[in-house]
Amino acid sequence: LIPTAANVAIGGRVLSAPNAVFRARVTLTDFNGESRSVLTNQFGYFRFDNLEAGGNYVVSVKHKRLFFASQVVRVVDDLTEVNFFAEP
């Protein structure tokens, strides 16, 4: 698929079973190297709006006490279940 002018969103949740992770830094990086970050809310949710449809992104999470594996996502439509679970 070729990227279009349409805008989509990526969202999800950061968890450390069974609890939500508050104030984790979620970073979205496109394949041009441009990044933006948000902090999770008190329920562990995050969201990035106004993304180019058809784009590939690396989503990573940083927290002072927990480790999370990064994910590569291709966005064709809104994604609402890009969830991260703390590694043991």
Side-chain angles (χ1 to χ4, degrees):
L1 296 173
I2 298 173
T4 67
N7 288 331
V8 293
I10 293 175
R13 199 166 185 205
V14 178
L15 300 161
S16 178
N19 302 314
V21 179
F22 176 58
R23 296 186 59 83
R25 180 169 301 281
V26 183
T27 302
L28 177 89
T29 305
D30 66 21
F31 277 75
N32 293 323
E34 294 183 35
S35 298
R36 54 179 152 157
S37 297
V38 297
L39 295 176
T40 56
N41 69 13
Q42 64 196 31
F43 304 108
Y45 289 101
F46 68 91
R47 183 175 171 96
F48 294 96
D49 291 313
N50 298 318
L51 302 173
E52 193 173 277
N56 294 304
Y57 299 90
V58 176
V59 185
S60 58
V61 177
K62 293 211 186 284
H63 188 268
K64 60 185 173 186
R65 293 175 294 153
L66 303 168
F67 174 78
F68 299 88
S70 297
Q71 297 183 37
V72 176
V73 294
R74 180 170 185 82
V75 185
V76 178
D77 201 356
D78 288 346
L79 295 176
T80 58
E81 296 292 327
V82 180
N83 298 323
F84 291 86
F85 301 92
E87 298 286 327

